[in-house]
Amino acid sequence: AAFVAGSTAVIAAPVAMNQPVDPKDSPYVQELLRRTEEKKEERVKERLADYDKRNFKDYFDVVDKGFNGRTMTENDEAIRDRLKKWNG
């Protein structure tokens, strides 16, 4: 932009907005990275639990229905606990 005052022209340098910032220098980016790392393990567990529910619920239902009065093993109990959790 140019401004003319009398016979003297003044040229203002354009202000650069939204300049790229190095992520190492940005406190905002560092905060986001920190929060991501804090929740990373929790999210992995959630994704695995969701995967198990979607892919193994039917199988566990069949295994549980095949119980027929035999002695319950630790694995049978774990399957029942998991089914209770998934079924609400």
Side-chain angles (χ1 to χ4, degrees), residues 7-75:
S7 62
T8 308
V10 178
I11 299 175
V15 177
M17 301 295 285
N18 297 326
Q19 290 291 324
V21 176
D22 185 11
K24 295 174 189 163
D25 297 334
S26 170
Y28 178 68
V29 172
Q30 292 302 313
E31 174 65 16
L32 292 175
L33 289 172
R34 182 189 63 78
R35 289 193 309 191
T36 299
E37 275 301 313
E38 284 179 357
K39 294 193 175 201
K40 185 176 184 176
E41 189 171 323
E42 179 183 333
R43 289 187 183 120
V44 167
K45 288 179 183 178
E46 287 174 359
R47 281 193 298 270
L48 181 59
D50 183 58
Y51 175 85
D52 288 346
K53 182 177 180 179
R54 285 183 286 122
N55 293 299
F56 297 112
K57 185 176 182 301
D58 293 338
Y59 171 75
F60 284 158
D61 277 334
V62 169
V63 169
D64 189 47
K65 288 181 175 109
F67 177 65
N68 292 331
R70 64 184 165 86
T71 305
M72 288 207 30
T73 65
E74 186 177 327
N75 192 43

